[in-house]
Every structure is written in structure tokens, then in C-alpha cells.
Amino acid sequence: MEYMTESTDRSPGHILCCECGVPISPNPANICVACLRSKVDISQGIPKQVSVSFCKQCQRYFQPPGTWIQCALESRELLALCLKKIKAPLSKVRLVDAGFVWTEPHSKRLKVKLTIQKEVMNGAILQQVFVVDYVVQSQMCGDCHRVEAKDFWKAVIQVRQKTLHKKTFYYLEQLILKYGMHQNTLRIKEIHDGLDFYYSSKQHAQKMVEFLQCTVPCRYKASQRLISQDIHSNTYNYKSTFSVEIVPVCKDNVVCLSPKLAQSLGNMNQICVCIRVTSAIHLIDPNTLQVADIDGSTFWSHPFNSLCHPKQLEEFIVMECSIVRDIKRTAGAGMISKKHALGEVWVQKTSEMNTDKQYFCRTHLGHLLNPGDLVLGFDLANCNLNDEHVNKMNSDRVPDVVLIKKSYDRTKRQRRRNWKLKELARERENMDTDDERQYQDFLEDLEEDEAIRKNVNIYRDSTIPVESDTDDEGAPRISLAEMLEDLHISQDATGEEGASMMT
């Protein structure tokens, strides 16, 4: 019994608050919590309203002294940015907890709930919870300001190709879109013989040049111009220019190789047809079906030009066609195409149907042609060929007609085309009237050549009804399995899904 009495005596008793007289447990200040809070405000000095800069163009927040970062709403990154804005006042107290209070995404307000502790009056520790209101203010960042100015650039890439057709540029445009290589450009300007890409840094331009070298056969020259210099800090300001020249050969061109190059490619005939241009020039010999790939360095070592331009294509009608089964191959011959069939055909120009003049030729389109079909080709017999390699050739080695591709009704193909492509946002000037015709040629090439199609993002056009993969004429079409759905996802001011913060 005595033991229990002693234990009761040792239990701490209550004291009265020296301010209001309320019984409280003893503490170093001998004041209740309510009176202590009325006398001391530990959040004093911490601002309750702070401004945060936000760029609407690139959807980034400004983090002093000079960086812009992208943060999602209520993310850890955004919370850290908000706390850094009041870092100096917070250093005088102990931060226990911090978190966001939900606000409407479009309200231009961010609310952060803080829990802090501080030692007051003889060692008593006081805890307080309060909310800091952050006002989101619009401010354009330096990068976006340069983009809007359109005149500020540190590097430019001038891509040129000395041809009359833009098939290679249309193909290059799709590759740039697929791999997102246009994201760092300040602007893209289209002129009559190429494209200009403007960049805010030389490093971005060099990355684009490396991409071009991997995707199309080309060569480039680099130069730079001194804009300003500071002799005291030894700093220089340059504007760099990269001049990129793509090989002057397009798909469906007829070319004449030099004798040395033709021999090195497996004793090919000098007259060849370009079936496609990707990272190399793909040629086929219409007499033997022999194929060869020529990269950029080989082309510039042994250059050759197109014998005819696309406007010289003429329409022929097939009078007779027979497949050549046994192909005689010479010693050292190269690879033979498995996708084509060698045919011997008699053709007649549709413009000369009232005459009996016909032409005989060999063609790589034997698997497509039947009597009565229309086919496009070049009439070399009645054409003035001004080429150094052709002039040195024996006239018997130059074919009368070189057939390029089978002809279909373009109007029907356009009407039944249930897919579409995306385009680069660019400035256009001095555009030719036949740009639309050239673009339609490129779309038809995609339908006819699966090898080019693999490198291009093709999107389903929901406005056109789904039909069979081939039409009445047998024109090639792209299957639905090769198409992508064109998705449109709305984003908020931080790059996340939701309503826009700045509307």
C-alpha cells in the first residue's frame, strides 16, 4: 500500500497557465498552446503569396536563376520548385511536411500546405500549419522568344537537290516526322529547290546533318561567319551554315553509268532505272534484272545524271508481252531481282495509234504487263540525249524505249485512297504549279513500293470507306494492317492530359 502511494505522488501534476489560468501539463514556457500562439507566430517572415513564372509555348516553369523545367501538376518536381521560392525564410524553421491543396487546373493558382516547427520561449517547440498561395504568371522563356522572333538563329542547314522532282524531299519529310527530328528547329523554310532548317544551337544542326547522312545519300560543307567577339573574355559569336547536297537522282529516273562503275557493279549495262532512293540509290538493269545499290561516297566518286526528266514520260500501250524464262548471265554478274520478271514487249505510243510504228524493248515489268495495258516510259530513240557517257556508248547498246511503270487511272486512285500522311509545318514561297502532281506521284510510289512504305508512318483516313485492297484495274493499294490511327490527345499546361491551364 505504501508502494502505491509513493507511485501516485511521483506522477506529474497540472499547473495553471500564467496567461489565462487554464490547467495544463507543465512546459518550459508555462503557457497554454492557445496563448502561446497568440503571442508568437512562427510563420512570420514566410510569404503567404508567391508568384511562379510559366511559359505557355513550351509548358515549362521558371526555376531561378536561369533554368526552365517541365513539371506535371502536383508532382514532386513542382513541389520542390515551389519550396525553393521560399527557401530563405524556411531556413529559420523546421519543415515537417509539405503537400499540394487541390485547385482547378485552369485557375492559375497553386496552393501548398506547409507544416513547420520552431523552438520558442525557453525551449518550447511550437508546430503550425498554414497554406502558401502561388500565383502562376505567364512569361515567355528565352527559347520560345527566339522562336517567335524568327530572326534569331545560330545555325542553318540548307538541303538542296538538283532535280525537277521532289520525291526524295517528300520521303525525307516523312522520315523527319517519324523520328521527331523537327522538334528543335526554330523554323523550316521551303524554297523551289530545297529546304532550310534554322536552329538556335550548332549542336542541334550537327545532329540533323548526321541524321541526313544516314537517311539519304548526300554530302555537306560547313562554314561559319563571325558575328561578334569579346577580346576581354575571349568569346566569339558565330553563325554556322551547313550546305547539304542530295544526289541528283530520283525514283523512276533513267541513268547512264560510267563504264568503270558499271563494271565494278557486276558488269551491268550502263543504262539503268532507279527503282528507289533511300539511304542508297537502288538501280535495276531492265535488260537483265540485275540490281545494285550505290551509296553517297560511290556516287560522288563516279557521278552520273538522269537522262530524262519526268515531264518527258510518254504513255505507251502494250501490244505484245512475253516472259523471258532463261536469263543468260555473264561471268561476274551481280544479284538478280526476285521481285521483278524480265519481259520482252512490243509497245506503241498512244499518240501514234493511227500509225503502225511500234517499238521493241526489254523491261523489268514483265510480271505486271499484259497486252492492252498502258505503261509510262521514255522514248530514247527520238530523244536528244546530251550525256557524256551516252555519247561514248555504241548506239546498239542504247535501247529505243525504257519502260518505267504501269499506268493506272489517277482519278480513281485518289478517290479510293483511304489513308493520309502528316506534313511538316513550314513556310512556303515561290511554289511551282505542279507540286500537287508531284505529291500525288509520291503517294502512288508508296502504294506500289513496300520497301519505301516501311519507313513512313501512314495514317488511316476515317472519311474514306474501307474497300478491298485492289480496285477494278488491279492498282496496288495499302492494306489496313499497315496504317496507324491518327490520335489527338489534348494536353494541359504541364504536358499532362487534362484542361489547359492558361485558357
Side-chain angles (χ1 to χ4, degrees), residues 1 181 327 365 479:
M1 196 58 125
M181 297 302 296
I327 304 175
L365 304 176
S479 63

Side-chain angles (χ1 to χ4, degrees), residues 49-52 54 56 61 73 103-111 133-138 493 500-503:
Q49 189 171 38
V50 187
S51 62
V52 176
F54 176 76
K56 291 191 292 185
Y61 292 92
L73 285 175
T103 56
E104 291 285 351
H106 60 272
S107 64
K108 299 184 183 179
R109 293 292 188 275
L110 300 172
K111 294 183 181 291
D133 193 4
Y134 291 84
V135 180
V136 180
Q137 297 180 341
S138 298
S500 174
M501 191 174 192
M502 292 296 123
T503 54

Side-chain angles (χ1 to χ4, degrees), residues 60 81 99 108 128 135 138 180 214 221 223 233 300 303 352 354:
R60 293 185 299 176
L81 185 144
K108 299 184 183 179
Q128 188 171 343
V135 180
S138 298
C214 296
K221 292 182 181 179
S223 62
S233 60
W300 300 117
E352 297 176 351
N354 56 346

Side-chain angles (χ1 to χ4, degrees), residues 161-170 249-253 309-311 405 410 434-435 437-442 445:
Q161 186 182 30
K162 298 176 182 177
T163 56
L164 295 175
H165 207 290
K166 297 182 178 180
K167 286 183 179 181
T168 307
F169 278 109
Y170 291 133
V249 177
C250 282
K251 185 181 185 299
D252 297 338
N253 284 166
H309 56 78
K311 292 183 180 180
K405 60 181 178 179
R410 169 165 285 185
D434 63 344
D435 275 359
R437 179 188 61 82
Q438 295 186 16
Y439 189 67
Q440 292 299 324
D441 288 344
F442 173 68
D445 291 343

Side-chain angles (χ1 to χ4, degrees), residues 168-354:
T168 307
F169 278 109
Y170 291 133
Y171 173 70
L172 185 61
E173 176 187 17
Q174 296 304 316
L175 288 178
I176 291 173
L177 284 169
K178 181 175 182 178
Y179 295 105
M181 297 302 296
H182 61 294
Q183 294 177 350
N184 293 322
T185 55
L186 297 179
R187 62 170 174 154
I188 303 173
K189 186 177 180 181
E190 181 178 354
I191 57 177
H192 66 281
D193 60 346
L195 294 169
D196 289 346
F197 298 88
Y198 293 88
Y199 292 89
S200 59
S201 70
K202 186 178 179 181
Q203 289 74 18
H204 290 154
Q206 287 174 330
K207 186 177 180 181
M208 182 63 167
V209 171
E210 293 172 0
F211 174 77
L212 292 174
Q213 287 182 299
C214 296
T215 52
V216 289
C218 61
R219 63 179 176 180
Y220 79 97
K221 292 182 181 179
S223 62
Q224 57 186 11
R225 180 163 56 96
L226 180 64
I227 304 301
S228 61
Q229 62 175 327
D230 187 353
I231 60 174
H232 301 291
S233 60
N234 200 29
T235 57
Y236 299 87
N237 183 20
Y238 290 100
K239 279 192 173 183
S240 303
T241 301
F242 296 88
S243 180
V244 180
E245 182 182 0
I246 303 176
V247 293
V249 177
C250 282
K251 185 181 185 299
D252 297 338
N253 284 166
V254 178
V255 298
C256 183
L257 310 179
S258 64
K260 185 177 180 181
L261 179 59
Q263 185 179 9
S264 66
L265 296 175
N267 293 323
M268 291 181 70
N269 288 315
Q270 290 180 247
I271 304 292
C272 296
V273 177
C274 176
I275 53 176
R276 75 179 66 90
V277 178
T278 54
S279 57
I281 304 172
H282 302 268
L283 300 178
I284 187 169
D285 182 355
N287 285 307
T288 63
L289 294 186
Q290 190 171 329
V291 292
D293 297 343
I294 299 177
D295 57 14
S297 59
T298 305
F299 175 85
W300 300 117
S301 302
H302 305 279
F304 51 86
N305 295 312
S306 174
L307 299 182
C308 308
H309 56 78
K311 292 183 180 180
Q312 292 176 292
L313 271 175
E314 296 190 60
E315 192 176 56
F316 297 84
I317 185 169
V318 179
M319 309 303 293
E320 186 179 342
C321 179
S322 60
I323 302 296
V324 180
R325 301 297 179 184
D326 299 326
I327 304 175
K328 295 181 180 179
R329 305 193 65 190
T330 59
M335 185 184 295
I336 297 293
S337 174
K338 303 297 184 183
K339 295 184 179 181
H340 300 83
L342 185 62
E344 292 182 342
V345 295
W346 285 92
V347 294
Q348 186 176 15
K349 288 184 182 179
T350 53
S351 60
E352 297 176 351
M353 293 297 289
N354 56 346

Side-chain angles (χ1 to χ4, degrees), residues 275 284 286 289 321 323 339-343 345 362-370 375-376 402-407:
I275 53 176
I284 187 169
L289 294 186
C321 179
I323 302 296
K339 295 184 179 181
H340 300 83
L342 185 62
V345 295
R362 277 192 164 194
T363 179
H364 60 290
L365 304 176
H367 59 299
L368 296 176
L369 301 182
N370 296 299
V375 62
L376 299 176
V402 177
L403 301 181
I404 300 299
K405 60 181 178 179
K406 190 175 179 180
S407 179

Side-chain angles (χ1 to χ4, degrees), residues 452-482:
I452 299 179
R453 239 174 16 236
K454 290 179 179 178
N455 300 326
V456 175
N457 283 345
I458 297 171
Y459 296 92
R460 168 90 171 89
D461 191 352
S462 57
T463 60
I464 307 297
V466 179
E467 297 182 14
S468 58
D469 288 349
T470 57
D471 57 19
D472 299 336
E473 293 183 331
R477 302 186 64 191
I478 300 178
S479 63
L480 286 173
E482 299 178 80

